[in-house]
Amino acid sequence: MSEKHPAADLQPTLRDYESRALALLSADRSAYFFGGAADQQTLAANQKAFSELELLPRVLRDLRGGSTRLTLLGESLTHPILVAPVAYQKLVHPDGEAAMAMGAAAQDAAMVLSSQSSIDAAEVRAASPGCNWFQLYWGPSRDANRALVQRVADLGFAAIVLTVDAPVQGARDNEARTGFQLPPDIAAVNLADMPAAQFAPLAPSESILFDRVAHITPRWSEVEWLCRNSPLPVIVKGVVHPADARQAIDAGAGAIIVSNHGGRTLDTMPATIRLLPAVAKAVDGAVPVLMDGGIRRGTDVLKALALGATAVLAGRLPVAGLTVAGAAGVSHVLRLLRDELEIAMMLTGCASLEQITPDIIYRNE
């Protein structure tokens, strides 16, 4: 795939990046990175729900000295836009996650590295120490999970992001239709030492999911164990129900990410932005609440912060930037998102993230 600097021709907008990425990628890779589960209703809902939220600006406020800075889990961040964990990024660019990390670092953006990264965590950290959160899918062995967590802690990662909303893969119809599969030269290299699940032969009357897979999927006891034994704070990703949010806090979670997995697991779930307020209310400031799903504009970031998020994670937009122009494309996408957030803050009368409150969301009541 040939790289094209984002300054070539005309400067692309955020919308342009996604359309250009779709034009560059094969149908099966487009389905993997930009598609969703089943009929893709949740995938569409994530963006549609943002567009249906309207902003109610305040005017003539003193905006001098405004800033997007925040502190998250003890770390000072320039802005609240993080790069979400996305697997197998070498499928869209030969430098994969290393280029993503360099692009994120250029914009002071924190990055979460997927455990299914196609480049080793050590190499990604060498490319950018700003990639300092590591995403974990629970493996079949506590010892193997502990060893992986210790390895990334030794590499300098600052937090573990435990994804809990995908004990099985969603019904990926688009991937099946297009024949998506990993090529032999791309693999989840960080999981090379993770033991593979071993299943006894299945009787005709048995279910592979309920009678085999369900016996190795994590439960709250595993979350509690990880929070007690991890050398790093544990962030629980994939919480959408207020009761689960409270249980995650009781288990020892240092933060929560409200997520429907970008519409890639359970179709017909509500949009994440619609689920966020109830979770934020249940948490009541006990831990930071982040969200992902549908972030395509700076106004989306603003709306998420207004409805209770401390920060947001974007996945598909940075992947689009990576596809189109490597690290430079990632950097440009994140710069555009931050610029749009600052524009939206100025136009709604918010000089700081603390001033972004629910009353900037218009409610026709």
Side-chain angles (χ1 to χ4, degrees), residues 136 138 149 160 162 222-230 234:
L136 176 71
W138 184 263
V149 169
I160 297 297
L162 178 66
E222 275 69 45
V223 178
E224 293 169 1
W225 177 89
L226 183 63
C227 290
R228 287 197 310 269
N229 290 279
S230 170
V234 176

Side-chain angles (χ1 to χ4, degrees), residues 32-33 86-91 97 116-118 182 186-188:
Y32 180 75
F33 287 101
V86 180
Y88 306 122
Q89 292 177 24
K90 284 179 71 174
L91 288 171
E97 291 82 0
Q116 295 177 330
S117 167
S118 50
L182 288 176
I186 292 181

Side-chain angles (χ1 to χ4, degrees), residues 61-255:
R61 289 184 163 182
D62 186 355
L63 302 173
R64 292 173 294 181
S67 171
T68 58
R69 297 200 70 87
L70 73 157
T71 299
L72 182 58
L73 296 182
E75 182 179 0
S76 179
L77 301 179
T78 304
H79 56 81
I81 303 164
L82 285 69
V83 176
V86 180
Y88 306 122
Q89 292 177 24
K90 284 179 71 174
L91 288 171
V92 303
H93 189 277
D95 295 329
E97 291 82 0
M100 181 72 81
M102 288 188 286
Q107 297 302 329
D108 276 343
M111 173 179 161
V112 187
L113 183 67
S114 171
S115 60
Q116 295 177 330
S117 167
S118 50
I119 294 182
D120 188 86
E123 185 177 341
V124 179
R125 280 283 297 172
S128 169
C131 178
N132 61 351
W133 289 6
F134 185 86
Q135 178 269 335
L136 176 71
Y137 287 108
W138 184 263
S141 159
R142 282 190 175 185
D143 287 343
N145 285 300
R146 191 203 306 264
L148 179 57
V149 169
Q150 187 60 58
R151 176 177 182 253
V152 298
D154 292 342
L155 288 174
F157 284 85
I160 297 297
V161 177
L162 178 66
T163 297
V164 298
D165 63 345
V168 296
Q169 184 171 285
R172 306 272 184 83
D173 289 359
N174 275 2
E175 292 176 31
R177 289 190 192 104
T178 56
F180 174 79
Q181 58 182 349
L182 288 176
D185 61 332
I186 292 181
V189 294
N190 295 295
L191 301 180
D193 296 329
M194 186 68 68
Q198 301 293 324
F199 296 125
L202 193 71
S205 61
E206 291 181 305
S207 160
I208 183 62
L209 295 182
F210 291 113
D211 295 317
R212 295 294 186 272
V213 176
H215 290 270
I216 61 168
T217 55
R219 292 172 288 278
W220 283 111
S221 56
E222 275 69 45
V223 178
E224 293 169 1
W225 177 89
L226 183 63
C227 290
R228 287 197 310 269
N229 290 279
S230 170
L232 304 174
V234 176
I235 301 162
V236 179
K237 180 178 184 291
V239 174
V240 295
H241 196 288
D244 284 344
R246 291 189 290 270
Q247 194 154 359
I249 295 169
D250 291 342

Side-chain angles (χ1 to χ4, degrees), residues 10 27 59 111 124 142 177-178 186 233 257 265 276 292 299 339:
L10 298 175
V59 297
M111 173 179 161
V124 179
R142 282 190 175 185
R177 289 190 192 104
T178 56
I186 292 181
I257 300 176
T265 52
L276 171 64
D292 67 12
T299 47
D339 287 348

Side-chain angles (χ1 to χ4, degrees), residues 179-351:
F180 174 79
Q181 58 182 349
L182 288 176
D185 61 332
I186 292 181
V189 294
N190 295 295
L191 301 180
D193 296 329
M194 186 68 68
Q198 301 293 324
F199 296 125
L202 193 71
S205 61
E206 291 181 305
S207 160
I208 183 62
L209 295 182
F210 291 113
D211 295 317
R212 295 294 186 272
V213 176
H215 290 270
I216 61 168
T217 55
R219 292 172 288 278
W220 283 111
S221 56
E222 275 69 45
V223 178
E224 293 169 1
W225 177 89
L226 183 63
C227 290
R228 287 197 310 269
N229 290 279
S230 170
L232 304 174
V234 176
I235 301 162
V236 179
K237 180 178 184 291
V239 174
V240 295
H241 196 288
D244 284 344
R246 291 189 290 270
Q247 194 154 359
I249 295 169
D250 291 342
I256 288 168
I257 300 176
V258 181
S259 173
N260 58 26
H261 218 91
R264 291 167 55 82
T265 52
L266 179 63
D267 200 21
T268 73
M269 283 182 66
T272 312
I273 191 65
R274 298 201 185 283
L275 299 167
L276 171 64
V279 173
K281 182 179 180 181
V283 169
D284 193 27
V287 298
V289 175
L290 294 79
M291 69 83 67
D292 67 12
I295 298 292
R296 295 297 190 279
R297 288 287 190 183
T299 47
D300 297 338
V301 181
L302 183 82
K303 292 169 185 178
L305 300 180
L307 293 178
T310 303
V312 304
L313 298 95
R316 288 184 172 96
L317 269 181
V319 167
L322 180 66
T323 305
V324 173
V330 174
S331 175
H332 192 219
V333 160
L334 293 170
R335 181 74 246 183
L336 289 173
L337 265 180
R338 180 183 169 190
D339 287 348
E340 287 193 3
L341 170 61
E342 292 187 0
I343 290 168
M345 288 173 64
M346 290 280 288
L347 292 175
T348 52
C350 301

Side-chain angles (χ1 to χ4, degrees), residues 47-54 274 303 362:
Q47 291 189 61
K48 185 172 184 288
F50 273 113
S51 69
E52 291 173 348
L53 289 171
E54 298 172 301
R274 298 201 185 283
K303 292 169 185 178
Y362 174 68

